[in-house]
Amino acid sequence: GNPEQSFKCIHIAGTNGKGSTSHFMASIMQEQGLRVGLYTSPHYKDFRERIKINGEFISKMEVQQFIHDLEAEIATIRPSFFELTVAMAFDYFSKSEVDVAIIETGLGGRLDSTNVITPLLSVITNIGLDHQNMLGDTLTEIAGEKAGIIKHKIPVLIGERQPEVEQVFIDKSADVGTTMSFADEIVAIDKKGIYLLDANEQIEIDLVSFPEYQLKNIKTAVASLLKLDMLAFDIPDKGEIKKGIVNVHQNSYFIGRWMILNETPLTIADSAHNVDGIKYLVEQLSTLDYERLHVVMGVVDDKDHESVFPLMPRQADYYFCKADIPRGMAAKKLQTIASQYDLKGMHYISVRKAAAAAKSSANDRDLILICGSIFVVAEVV
């Protein structure tokens, strides 16, 4: 019945930041009084995190009913886990009569299951090296896959200017006859506020508690909403934008990114796992004042670790571990590989054991960072 055709939506792709941008947009639109569907992936602790309306998970009953009703079709079609989840989200948002749904791609864009939608706006946050085995070895190739969400006469918003890939988006937009904008043409941002360039207005908001990389995602989210103002929605007022950003965690169940788990010692969990994500994370660490850094780290076995390890801080004590998933790299193997990059530490049989060891070793002025994989972070949040 093509449920994806029955509600308005926004489509978001990108290597990093698409999940954060989606959550900020959803939160702001909730503050505007809208009923907002949000589809993201992967999940941290509960499968139902992937499908939410105004921060509330899809119910267990809805999940069970969807599978039950389509049992015969599932057996015949044999969709992938992701395809089935996308269909479930679209069906749920349609039945629930959302005002708008924000749909995050899973991987790439051109061949992504979510790419059957016709959105009001297509958003691409940025391009980095990730999933090269499926998307291509160069930024240009990866950008081409992400640009696959750009559609005929559907406006496009690009979050970051990257000279290596700008032309890919310009050419694709021209090919399909649509307009393209960059976020920095619409919004400027710093730790003291957000500046709406066309309106020559400032939203005064203290963004000191947000990491620097998150400011890029806030900018993209606000610029996207301003772009939408010309399409189908009134732009939220400045108060709603401010409240949406401040209340993003409780409004949209936003977890796992620069998440402060403890104040003393300061303990932060962040699910950055690719080159650009780790760069942003390490840059943010450099802004903090601490005595000693303790890094609880686990990775999946199918990632490009040789690019990530050189970026990690060497002046730190490492606690290597394996997330409780089949794809997780064995802690001893991780310790051995990391030592080749002068990252020194012990290995532990679980994430919790590693985190407990770090907490036991740290004094009150130290910093504990838990990172490397969304699956590692999921075990501590």
Side-chain angles (χ1 to χ4, degrees):
N2 293 302
E4 77 283 357
Q5 296 176 6
S6 67
F7 52 86
K8 296 173 181 176
C9 58
I10 299 147
H11 205 188
I12 302 186
T15 302
N16 290 295
K18 60 183 182 290
S20 296
T21 300
S22 298
H23 281 82
F24 282 116
M25 287 188 70
S27 181
I28 293 168
M29 294 175 104
Q30 284 172 232
E31 292 289 351
Q32 198 179 358
L34 297 175
R35 185 168 170 78
V36 185
L38 179 58
Y39 176 74
T40 57
S41 62
H43 60 272
Y44 283 84
K45 302 184 80 69
D46 188 323
F47 164 80
R48 298 177 301 137
E49 293 169 32
R50 295 170 179 249
I51 304 171
K52 295 175 285 196
I53 297 176
N54 285 14
E56 294 291 326
F57 299 176
I58 184 174
S59 71
K60 291 180 179 179
M61 185 186 71
E62 289 280 357
V63 174
Q64 292 168 342
Q65 192 67 49
F66 180 83
I67 300 298
H68 178 267
D69 290 347
L70 291 177
E71 197 167 355
E73 288 85 353
I74 291 167
T76 302
I77 299 169
R78 299 179 65 190
S80 69
F81 168 79
F82 188 79
E83 288 168 337
L84 188 59
T85 307
V86 169
M88 184 186 298
F90 291 165
D91 181 65
Y92 182 60
F93 294 155
S94 177
K95 287 178 179 174
S96 302
E97 299 182 344
V98 296
D99 294 314
V100 62
I102 298 168
I103 309 296
E104 178 195 1
T105 60
L107 193 153
R110 181 175 65 92
L111 299 177
D112 193 79
S113 305
T114 63
N115 206 23
V116 297
I117 60 176
T118 302
L120 300 170
L121 177 70
S122 300
V123 180
I124 300 174
T125 56
N126 60 28
I127 302 298
L129 294 174
D130 202 6
H131 300 293
Q132 291 98 308
N133 59 326
M134 286 174 273
L135 301 182
D137 294 324
T138 68
L139 291 179
T140 302
E141 288 176 319
I142 294 170
E145 291 297 319
K146 308 283 187 186
I149 71 166
I150 300 175
K151 297 181 176 69
H152 180 59
K153 293 189 176 178
I154 305 298
V156 185
L157 190 285
I158 308 297
E160 291 183 39
R161 286 187 186 271
Q162 296 172 275
E164 312 96 307
V165 298
E166 279 185 25
Q167 199 59 44
V168 174
F169 302 133
I170 292 169
D171 291 345
K172 178 67 175 182
S173 298
D175 286 346
V176 301
T178 192
T179 58
M180 189 194 78
S181 307
F182 289 98
D184 64 9
E185 297 171 338
I186 301 171
V187 172
I189 191 168
D190 60 29
K191 290 285 189 177
K192 296 179 181 178
I194 302 167
Y195 307 88
L196 314 183
L197 300 179
D198 284 351
N200 196 27
E201 289 185 84
Q202 178 183 358
I203 301 172
E204 292 187 11
I205 177 172
D206 183 1
L207 297 172
V208 171
S209 62
F210 288 98
E212 196 70 36
Y213 72 80
Q214 209 59 283
L215 267 58
K216 298 180 182 182
N217 301 322
I218 294 171
K219 179 171 72 172
T220 301
V222 174
S224 297
L225 291 171
L226 288 166
K227 190 77 175 172
L228 276 173
D229 188 36
M230 298 177 279
L231 304 171
F233 289 94
D234 293 330
I235 182 69
D237 65 32
K238 292 194 291 186
E240 290 163 347
I241 292 174
K242 183 173 181 176
K243 284 194 289 185
I245 293 167
V246 171
N247 297 329
V248 65
H249 297 285
Q250 53 264 47
N251 279 355
S252 63
Y253 189 78
F254 180 50
I255 63 171
R257 284 84 161 185
W258 199 256
M259 194 170 179
I260 296 176
L261 304 180
N262 193 40
E263 294 285 352
T264 308
L266 181 59
T267 305
I268 297 171
D270 193 289
S271 54
H273 56 272
N274 56 36
V275 170
D276 287 345
I278 295 294
K279 280 181 182 176
Y280 297 146
L281 178 59
V282 173
E283 285 173 9
Q284 191 62 32
L285 289 178
S286 69
T287 68
L288 301 179
D289 184 23
Y290 55 86
E291 282 191 2
R292 185 73 183 167
L293 176 61
H294 303 261
V295 181
V296 177
M297 186 178 188
V299 301
V300 292
D301 221 345
D302 53 4
K303 287 284 183 178
D304 176 20
H305 307 301
E306 291 186 6
S307 299
V308 168
F309 286 138
L311 304 174
M312 295 298 294
R314 287 171 175 75
Q315 297 301 313
D317 297 324
Y318 282 82
Y319 304 77
F320 300 107
C321 55
K322 175 186 177 295
D324 189 20
I325 58 165
R327 288 171 58 205
M329 181 183 288
K332 176 63 175 173
K333 177 181 175 183
L334 174 57
Q335 179 192 27
T336 301
I337 297 173
S339 68
Q340 298 169 15
Y341 297 87
D342 206 25
L343 307 180
K344 303 291 176 53
M346 303 292 289
H347 66 277
Y348 297 84
I349 61 171
S350 70
V351 175
R352 291 196 176 278
K353 290 280 188 184
K359 184 175 181 180
S360 176
S361 299
N363 69 44
D364 288 352
R365 296 173 301 283
D366 287 352
L367 170 63
I368 300 173
L369 172 68
I370 302 170
C371 68
S373 164
I374 192 170
F375 304 105
V376 170
V377 171
E379 293 190 32
V380 295
V381 296

